[in-house]
């Protein structure tokens, strides 16, 4: 069984941290700088737009489980 079907979209800790940084930028500098930052660090545009434009899609905390 490959396990690739159960990949956590936030398994990439680097991108998860950059998304959190972008959300801080969104609050201080606005949408455009936050989107530009996300694109520069490699967050897919579709993901960046969903997160920045839909507050209901933003996570209030990290829901990842602790490693087994």
């Amino acid at each position: 069984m490959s396990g690739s079907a159960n990949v956590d979209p936030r398994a990439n800790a680097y991108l998860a941290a950059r998304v959190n940084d972008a959300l801080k930028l969104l609050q201080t500098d606005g949408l455009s700088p936050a989107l530009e930052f996300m694109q520069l660090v490699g967050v897919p545009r579709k993901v960046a737009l969903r997160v920045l434009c839909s507050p209901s899609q933003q996570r209030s905390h990290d829901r990842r489980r602790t490693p087994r």
Side-chain angles (χ1 to χ4, degrees):
M1 178 179 253
S2 80
S4 62
N6 295 326
V7 174
D8 180 359
R10 288 180 52 104
N12 185 330
Y14 172 79
L15 284 183
R18 300 301 68 82
V19 168
N20 289 336
D21 293 342
L23 290 173
K24 291 175 188 171
L25 270 175
L26 177 65
Q27 292 179 357
T28 60
D29 298 335
L31 179 65
S32 186
L35 177 60
E36 183 176 349
F37 172 77
M38 290 178 88
Q39 290 183 296
L40 287 173
V41 298
V43 176
R45 184 174 177 81
K46 182 178 175 182
V47 173
L49 289 172
R50 182 181 70 234
V51 171
L52 294 173
C53 296
S54 302
S56 63
Q57 296 292 314
Q58 298 170 6
R59 294 183 173 154
S60 59
H61 63 283
D62 193 353
R63 294 182 287 185
R64 289 181 285 174
R65 297 181 195 172
T66 56
R68 295 181 194 187

